[in-house]
């Protein structure tokens, strides 16, 4: 939390489970940079409030086959326009399973150079300022359990765990029998519908 680095604000090329990567910054990969490591796996992790200036608000992949499973990537920012959530560079082919990539800013949810690609399965990509299912992940929405729906984070209904899911969330396991839980967090609030919440509104609650 609150780290700064040239490549990977928090870590570079690792395996991790159940951490929270928040408020880190870097030139490439606000929280994590994967490089020449095949594969490396991050599971059940949350990336929020991270920033990068040249690519990958949360994650930067360089010549990597990174795997991310049950991760929530939300509220990250890139200033260079290359991947508000994830940027894939130089023959990188990350795979994402059961991940939420939502409400990131400064670029598309996931971006790739011309010789990289990303494969998503059972993922929800929604509300990213530069586009959701665009660029190298275009055409994957609606296939393999992927969707573009508001994940319905609890936010103010559970301020200590804002990325937990409302009971009506399309990412909750109970509402998603094809894929099970999508993202790092299970249900944490509600039994009735809630209003959509942008990342800006989530941040405002903590000011």
């Amino acid at each position: 939390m609150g780290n700064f680095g040239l490549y990977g604000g928090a870590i570079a090329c690792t395996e991790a489970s159940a951490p929270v990567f928040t408020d880190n910054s870097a030139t490439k990969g606000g929280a994590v940079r994967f490089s020449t490591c095949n594969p490396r796996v991050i599971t059940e992790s949350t990336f929020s409030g991270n920033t990068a200036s040249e690519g990958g608000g949360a994650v930067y992949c360089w010549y990597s086959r990174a795997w991310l499973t049950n991760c929530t990537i939300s509220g990250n920012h890139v200033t260079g326009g290359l991947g508000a959530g994830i940027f894939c560079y130089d023959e990188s082919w990350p795979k994402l399973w059961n991940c939420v990539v939502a409400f990131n800013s400064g670029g598309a949810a996931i971006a790739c150079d011309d010789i990289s690609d990303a494969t998503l399965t059972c993922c929800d990509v929604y509300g990213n300022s530069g586009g959701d299912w665009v660029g190298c992940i275009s055409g994957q929405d609606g296939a393999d359990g992927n969707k573009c729906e508001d994940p319905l984070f609890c936010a103010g209904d559970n301020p200590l765990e804002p990325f937990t899911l409302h009971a009506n969330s399309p990412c909750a396991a109970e509402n998603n029998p094809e894929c099970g839980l999508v993202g790092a967090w299970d249900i944490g609030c509600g039994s009735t519908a809630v209003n959509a919440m942008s990342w800006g509104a989530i941040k405002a609650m903590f000011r």
Side-chain angles (χ1 to χ4, degrees):
M1 178 176 179
N3 300 294
F4 172 79
L6 180 61
Y7 301 128
I11 56 177
C13 191
T14 190
E15 297 183 13
S17 178
V20 175
F21 299 97
T22 183
D23 297 329
N24 302 291
S25 61
T27 303
K28 299 178 179 179
V32 175
R33 188 187 80 147
F34 291 106
S35 60
T36 61
C37 44
N38 302 306
R40 283 294 183 262
V41 181
I42 289 185
T43 64
E44 301 175 2
S45 300
T46 302
F47 299 82
S48 67
N50 302 292
T51 61
S53 59
E54 293 186 11
V59 177
Y60 187 100
C61 297
W62 174 59
Y63 195 67
S64 173
R65 310 294 187 269
W67 296 352
L68 287 83
T69 64
N70 284 102
C71 291
T72 295
I73 302 171
S74 183
N76 303 284
H77 180 75
V78 64
T79 58
L82 296 175
I86 299 172
F87 182 60
C88 313
Y89 178 74
D90 194 18
E91 298 186 12
S92 288
W93 294 292
K95 295 184 178 181
L96 283 71
W97 288 275
N98 294 74
C99 291
V100 176
V101 186
F103 306 122
N104 301 287
S105 63
I110 299 174
C112 309
D113 70 357
D114 292 340
I115 55 174
S116 299
D117 206 348
T119 302
L120 282 68
T121 303
C122 288
C123 291
D124 185 15
V125 181
Y126 177 86
N128 300 280
S129 68
D132 298 320
W133 295 97
V134 297
C136 59
I137 63 170
S138 63
Q140 296 186 51
D141 182 20
D144 299 320
N146 294 318
K147 63 187 62 158
C148 185
E149 299 182 45
D150 190 334
L152 295 181
F153 295 135
C154 287
D157 290 337
N158 189 349
L160 295 179
E161 296 179 333
F163 294 108
T164 52
L165 304 174
H166 189 274
N168 293 342
S169 170
C171 297
E174 291 84 343
N175 304 327
N176 194 10
E178 178 182 0
C179 295
L181 177 65
V182 177
W185 298 86
D186 210 332
I187 291 173
C189 64
S191 58
T192 58
V194 296
N195 294 325
M197 200 86 163
S198 70
W199 175 243
I202 293 174
K203 288 195 295 185
M205 296 187 307
F206 298 96
R207 290 175 180 167

